[in-house]
Amino acid sequence: MERSIAAINRKIKKKQAQVCTVAELKERVKTDGISAVAQTVDVVTTGTFEPMESSSAVLNLGHTDPPMRIRQCWLDGVLAYAGLGAVDLYIGAAQPAEDPDSERGGGHVIADLVAGKGVQLRALGQSTDCYPRASFDNVISRDTINQFYLFNPRGLYQNFIVGVNGGDRPLYTYLGPLYPHLGNAVYCNPGAIAPLFNDPELKLIGIGSRIFLGGGIGYITGEGTQHFPLQKRLANGTPIGPGATLAMVGDAKTMNPKWVRGCYLRHYGPSLMLGVGLAFPVLNEATVERCAISDGEVVAPVIDFAIPRRVRPTFGLVSYAQLKSGRITLEGKPVRTAPLSSIYFANQIALELKQWVAEGQFTLTEPVAPIPLDRPFLSQDGWDPAMNL
């Protein structure tokens, strides 16, 4: 059996495609087997909802009268980059508010704009003959600006780490608080339902692939920053630590605030909770075999954040089945586990995307080019993350 994306799209447009979420597919494989499922399913949908602090937004404000060339700008007290065109702005989700007591940042500004809320703009300009205005204060919203794009230079990690703290004081990290003496363990991946665990060699997606991004339509623009497909892998092809990443873009004016939420990690800083979903064409039995992996067949490294170095000690690998059980054992001690990503919302995104496909609202795209699979991980001191795992 071998299908094509074009043939699957014809079925989608006629609302005849058989679609299931990746969680549903895994259950069907248990009862029906890989071959039977491959014969009956056309599309598999996946999703994740997790902090993606490398998210950002590009805004075009439109010109004032008289016009100005913005050189410094703040949105709700959060610094935005103005070194683009005269009224183009770039704001990062991890940019903190200038008020040191504020628990808001760029992620909250982006989420408020997606939700249609007003955001206070304060801008300073460079007066020139063609841009004479020197300052501007106003409230903007998604409906009063020209363009508003969400751009994610690094998101949808194929896998990530588990953070613990073997020291003697609490640590506040990008995984949230880690309690001393191995008081807890935090992971940030929904496990076997995670999109890129089910396409470990990135055979089903590529540059130009249409995706669910923040509740709207987005596209994969290429490899993400820190893309590391050469990570060590298990026999099933899944990486044992951070591997591939993707860069993504979408029209934020069409997004749903349910899937774009600002968040703040105590004593660390702001970020953005973002929902992303991928729809995979079932081209052959190999597609189903890859998507049939279980939480017991994917692993993550346990990293001790108490050592303030790039290369930190590890406590080995644990499976996502162990992590989802609520306890892992480290040095003979039971350690509580908790996910920073939402497994419930990951399944909800896969269900919503399933509905889009089933109703003919979302078709699949042929990539214009593959995601590179030969990228090494370079650092200023020559460190290779695979060597630490």
Side-chain angles (χ1 to χ4, degrees):
M1 184 204 80
E2 191 73 30
R3 292 193 185 96
S4 69
I5 291 178
I8 294 172
N9 277 338
R10 285 194 291 270
K11 296 182 72 173
I12 292 174
K13 291 173 182 178
K14 295 178 181 178
K15 301 183 182 179
Q16 296 175 349
Q18 297 300 308
V19 191
C20 66
T21 69
V22 75
E24 293 169 341
L25 180 138
K26 294 177 194 299
E27 291 302 312
R28 290 181 61 171
V29 167
K30 291 178 184 178
T31 57
D32 301 340
I34 288 173
S35 181
V37 172
Q39 292 290 333
T40 56
V41 176
D42 299 301
V43 180
V44 180
T45 60
T46 65
T48 189
F49 186 70
E50 59 192 63
M52 298 192 192
E53 72 174 9
S54 285
S55 301
S56 62
V58 178
L59 293 73
N60 179 274
L61 304 179
H63 284 289
T64 59
D65 187 17
M68 74 180 296
R69 184 187 189 194
I70 298 176
R71 281 297 168 258
Q72 289 181 285
C73 186
W74 295 263
L75 299 174
D76 274 355
V78 179
L79 183 66
Y81 179 69
L84 303 170
V87 289
D88 289 318
L89 300 177
Y90 182 85
I91 185 167
Q95 180 68 37
E98 299 228 316
D99 179 357
D101 296 323
S102 175
E103 294 189 350
R104 282 176 57 83
H108 299 87
V109 173
I110 294 169
D112 284 351
L113 287 170
V114 167
K117 297 179 181 179
V119 169
Q120 184 65 46
L121 163 74
R122 181 168 71 91
L124 301 177
Q126 175 188 354
S127 295
T128 65
D129 290 339
C130 51
Y131 295 112
R133 188 163 192 155
S135 65
F136 184 65
D137 287 82
N138 198 12
V139 174
I140 64 169
S141 74
R142 70 180 184 192
D143 299 321
T144 65
I145 58 180
N146 288 321
Q147 282 77 36
F148 173 32
Y149 293 110
L150 186 71
F151 178 55
N152 196 307
R154 180 175 74 251
L156 211 64
Y157 265 101
Q158 193 170 39
N159 193 7
F160 207 61
I161 64 173
V162 182
V164 297
N165 176 9
D168 56 7
R169 67 174 183 85
L171 298 175
Y172 298 94
T173 74
Y174 53 75
L175 290 173
L178 299 176
Y179 302 121
H181 310 298
L182 304 180
N184 67 332
V186 181
Y187 59 103
C188 190
N189 186 289
I193 62 172
L196 296 187
F197 266 148
N198 293 278
D199 185 20
E201 297 177 348
L202 309 184
K203 292 180 178 293
L204 304 174
I205 57 167
I207 298 171
S209 292
R210 183 181 290 112
I211 63 174
F212 175 112
L213 183 61
I217 300 295
Y219 296 90
I220 296 171
T221 61
E223 65 181 270
T225 56
Q226 295 183 192
H227 177 63
F228 184 47
L230 297 179
Q231 177 65 269
K232 295 178 181 177
R233 292 175 181 260
L234 302 180
N236 60 21
T238 61
I240 66 171
T245 68
L246 298 178
M248 303 166 285
V249 68
D251 184 356
K253 287 192 174 189
T254 67
M255 293 181 183
N256 186 334
K258 179 179 181 180
W259 303 122
V260 184
R261 304 188 192 185
C263 64
Y264 186 85
L265 298 166
R266 186 183 178 195
H267 298 321
Y268 176 76
S271 187
L272 186 74
M273 296 291 293
L274 183 63
V276 180
L278 302 185
F280 296 139
V282 178
L283 302 176
N284 46 41
E285 290 187 8
T287 302
V288 176
E289 184 176 7
R290 288 190 293 267
C291 290
I293 58 167
S294 68
D295 283 319
E297 297 172 305
V298 286
V299 300
V302 182
I303 305 294
D304 188 356
F305 276 65
I307 308 300
R309 297 296 301 272
R310 187 200 301 264
V311 181
R312 296 185 172 104
T314 73
F315 290 90
L317 301 171
V318 294
S319 73
Y320 279 91
Q322 293 171 294
L323 290 166
K324 290 182 179 181
S325 74
R327 292 282 191 282
I328 58 175
T329 301
L330 301 177
E331 297 187 333
K333 175 184 176 179
V335 179
R336 295 177 300 164
T337 63
L340 191 59
S341 61
S342 171
I343 296 169
Y344 172 78
F345 281 139
N347 282 311
Q348 290 299 303
I349 289 168
L351 282 168
E352 186 168 334
L353 184 52
K354 172 187 174 180
Q355 184 176 5
W356 288 5
V357 177
E359 294 177 352
Q361 300 173 7
F362 185 100
T363 55
L364 310 179
T365 47
E366 294 273 6
V368 298
I371 303 297
L373 296 177
D374 59 352
R375 296 290 195 259
F377 190 101
L378 303 178
S379 65
Q380 296 302 309
D381 56 9
W383 172 71
D384 179 348
M387 296 177 63
N388 192 39
L389 302 178

